[in-house]
Amino acid sequence: MRLTFIAGLATVLSLSAAALVPFTLAAQPGGGVAPQCSIDQNTPKELTLLSLKFQSARSAPSPDARKKALREIIKELDTKPERFAKNPGGYNLTLVQALTMWGVEPGLTDAPARSELGFVTNPTEPYDILVNMDVAYKAIVAAVPTCGADITAMRMNEVWLAATKGALDASNAGKLDSAEYFANRSMMMSGTNPYPHYVLASVANARNNKANAIMHWKHVIKYAADDTTYRDLKTGSMYYAAMAQLEDAQAKTGAEQQATAREAAEGFKALLTMTPDSPDAPNLLLSWADALTVAKDTALIPTVYTPLFSQASATDVALTTAGVIATRANKSDDALKLFQAAAKRNPNNRDAQRNVAAAHYSKDQFTLMFEPTRKLVEIDPNNFDGWMLFAYASQGLAKAAQTAKKPVEIKAWTDSLVKYQTYAEALPVKVDVTSFDRRKDVATLLLALEQVAVKDGQYSVTAEFLDAAGAVVATVTEAVGPIKKGETKPVTLKATGTDIMAYRYKALK
């Protein structure tokens, strides 16, 4: 008889703590074995007869009938076991098939009394079903080594699935002890499957055992390999491992710190290479640069952002983030190019326009500050710093005129400086953009309003959400106030619409 697999079942699970999209977990696989794997379940004749009992168990009209058939199978296997001594492969395969059905029997404990399963010897002794399945699987491989690969796959059956699901469910519920217990039982059935390692990493991380968490995340990465079934699990583990290593490095010193930070940097690099167009790419760029900084490998920081110069799919957010990284690395020319590329890709990107203006300021290119600053205050009209960029540009040009001994220009630019500074300081309410989160069909803008005027402020905040071409996709208005002088209040503006890329809000007066 060829080795066959019991059909599996599937369920969709997710780890809320991991913040990953749901992934599919299923018993493995549906059928088919290697040609060289052949196990005889017809010798002795008692094994052949048990096939009828299995049919009865699978087609049983009630749980009691199914249990009765399973007990008869176990009793036969336990009675005069010397009858099966010449065929350990067939005997243990039959035992595994019976234990697999017992292992998913509702209401049965992990280690019932042997008599409850049908054993006649040592009836009161506890019998751990999963532990003994592991023993039987090993015995099959020992008897028929050519079946090793098939048995590895067969281990991921319904009993493995139940243990793994138990681990995931317990982890979701924050029940660390239970999650660890079920994950270890899952690993007993399949130590090279990524799921239990992911759970054990989450448990270790929750217990602040970073070393153990990193070890298990690395196991997830290794065992997931290039299997697309585990892609989300793998990328999540790559991120968590690298972040944990970066945190660990920051707590260390000397050579140990540098080595750990370099490993974290390689982790972020590998993840970016694997997911270059991920919405998380900007954060990964920053983390990679941070890791190189901790490792004292600042000379390598340009390697973080250089690929974006030629990456057609690089988003305006990623380009802006890359510009920030270049700025921190004192690569002002690179920073300006990256900010300009971001502004070209999305002219309504507030941060890109602000950073273009600031980059020109750092290079004493004051005249070039005006165009991006005008765009900035159209988008963010109540931002104090935005209007002050006009003042800084005017101040720089006034100094240049003074050096050139051009009194008319000195006065003109000094008047401009006073004008913009006065305007900035006269804003009745200052607005800070706390965050802007854009997704495929929804965007959320968080603002913080600080009352400057003496009189209490009452405002109607209206934001327009824009697409890549600058067209209005949605308009949202929220009331805020009253706000007392010196008080700050948040406001959230959320819009639904396809491909929202930017925003602008109407001036508050």
Side-chain angles (χ1 to χ4, degrees):
M1 172 184 172
R2 292 286 181 187
L3 177 60
T4 57
F5 293 92
I6 299 170
L9 56 107
T11 181
V12 176
L13 302 167
S14 67
L15 277 175
S16 59
L20 294 176
V21 296
F23 49 80
T24 301
L25 174 65
Q28 304 287 326
V33 296
Q36 67 271 25
C37 178
S38 180
I39 298 177
D40 182 10
Q41 282 187 282
N42 295 314
T43 303
K45 65 180 186 303
E46 286 83 357
L47 285 183
T48 305
L49 296 174
L50 286 180
S51 64
L52 299 175
K53 293 291 184 182
F54 275 111
Q55 291 178 20
S56 297
R58 293 185 183 111
S59 60
S62 68
D64 286 342
R66 181 174 58 252
K67 291 176 184 178
K68 181 176 182 294
L70 289 174
R71 288 189 183 106
E72 290 174 353
I73 292 169
I74 294 294
K75 180 180 178 181
E76 184 64 40
L77 292 172
D78 193 38
T79 301
K80 297 181 180 180
E82 62 273 11
R83 294 175 296 168
F84 311 106
K86 291 183 179 181
N87 186 12
Y91 168 80
N92 282 287
L93 176 57
T94 305
L95 177 60
V96 159
Q97 291 172 332
L99 292 178
T100 299
M101 295 187 71
W102 269 125
V104 292
E105 186 65 39
L108 199 67
T109 64
D110 291 339
R114 287 168 60 87
S115 60
E116 189 171 350
L117 302 177
F119 289 99
V120 291
T121 58
N122 304 317
T124 61
E125 185 178 304
Y127 187 90
D128 191 311
I129 294 173
L130 195 146
V131 168
N132 283 282
M133 286 182 71
D134 177 51
V135 172
Y137 280 130
K138 290 174 180 175
I140 294 171
V141 176
V144 192
T146 53
C147 288
D150 298 288
I151 293 302
T152 296
M154 188 180 183
R155 281 173 170 272
M156 287 183 284
N157 56 27
E158 288 91 335
V159 178
W160 166 83
L161 179 62
T164 307
K165 185 177 184 303
L168 292 165
D169 289 346
S171 181
N172 276 340
K175 298 176 181 178
L176 302 185
D177 290 344
S178 294
E180 184 178 39
Y181 170 78
F182 285 115
N184 282 325
R185 290 181 70 79
S186 172
M187 284 180 60
M188 196 181 304
M189 291 290 283
S190 180
T192 59
N193 185 275
Y195 288 121
H197 288 289
Y198 190 85
V199 171
L200 290 173
S202 299
V203 170
N205 190 54
R207 291 173 175 166
N208 204 31
N209 187 341
K210 297 295 183 185
N212 201 33
I214 291 169
M215 177 191 72
H216 282 292
W217 278 319
K218 286 183 176 180
H219 286 328
V220 174
I221 297 165
K222 175 183 176 181
Y223 297 134
D226 296 324
D227 191 332
T228 56
T229 303
Y230 305 122
R231 180 179 172 84
D232 293 324
L233 209 63
K234 179 179 180 178
T235 55
S237 297
M238 291 172 72
Y239 174 74
Y240 293 132
M243 282 301 299
Q245 287 168 330
L246 178 55
E247 292 173 9
D248 193 28
Q250 290 167 334
K252 294 178 178 178
T253 58
E256 190 178 15
Q257 179 185 67
Q258 289 179 262
T260 304
R262 285 183 184 126
E263 191 171 358
E266 286 300 315
F268 291 121
K269 178 182 178 180
L271 184 53
L272 264 170
T273 301
M274 185 175 174
T275 59
D277 299 326
S278 166
D280 295 321
N283 290 331
L284 296 176
L285 289 166
L286 279 173
S287 296
W288 182 6
D290 288 344
L292 289 174
T293 301
V294 175
K296 297 181 173 55
D297 289 336
T298 52
L300 295 176
I301 286 180
T303 64
V304 173
Y305 61 76
T306 298
L308 274 72
F309 284 120
S310 58
Q311 186 178 317
S313 61
T315 66
D316 56 304
V317 178
L319 288 164
T320 302
T321 302
V324 171
I325 294 169
T327 300
R328 292 176 181 175
N330 296 318
K331 301 291 185 181
S332 58
D333 290 342
D334 288 347
L336 179 56
K337 290 177 184 177
L338 288 161
F339 291 140
Q340 288 173 327
K344 182 177 181 180
R345 192 147 297 178
N346 183 3
N348 291 297
N349 183 315
R350 172 203 176 275
D351 293 337
Q353 297 291 0
R354 180 195 178 283
N355 284 311
V356 168
H360 283 309
Y361 178 75
S362 70
K363 298 171 76 65
D364 293 340
Q365 297 171 339
F366 305 114
T367 304
L368 297 178
M369 291 176 63
F370 286 94
E371 182 180 351
T373 303
R374 287 191 190 97
K375 189 64 179 177
L376 171 62
V377 297
E378 287 177 9
I379 297 167
D380 189 5
N382 280 74
N383 188 285
F384 177 86
D385 294 335
W387 290 102
M388 286 303 295
L389 282 171
F390 282 127
Y392 298 144
S394 300
Q395 182 183 51
L397 289 168
K399 288 182 178 179
Q402 188 175 25
T403 301
K405 297 181 180 181
K406 296 180 178 180
V408 175
E409 290 187 18
I410 293 172
K411 183 179 185 310
W413 287 119
T414 301
D415 289 346
S416 181
L417 162 64
V418 173
K419 168 189 170 183
Y420 287 116
Q421 185 172 357
T422 301
Y423 187 92
E425 292 175 348
L427 289 170
V429 59
K430 295 179 182 178
V431 174
D432 283 330
V433 177
T434 304
S435 72
F436 176 56
D437 181 50
R438 66 192 197 198
R439 303 298 168 107
K440 182 179 179 181
D441 298 315
V442 66
T444 305
L445 174 64
L446 271 62
L447 304 176
L449 277 61
E450 179 187 357
Q451 181 66 9
V452 179
V454 174
K455 184 179 178 181
D456 290 359
Q458 188 82 35
Y459 304 100
S460 181
V461 183
T462 298
E464 295 177 334
F465 293 84
L466 315 173
D467 63 16
V472 177
V473 176
T475 301
V476 179
T477 300
E478 293 288 343
V480 183
I483 312 177
K484 299 182 181 296
K485 177 179 172 59
E487 185 180 8
T488 299
K489 285 193 175 181
V491 59
T492 300
L493 299 111
K494 189 171 185 177
T496 56
T498 303
D499 297 328
I500 292 173
M501 295 290 288
Y503 62 89
R504 62 175 174 243
Y505 64 87
K506 295 183 179 179
L508 303 176
K509 300 177 180 179

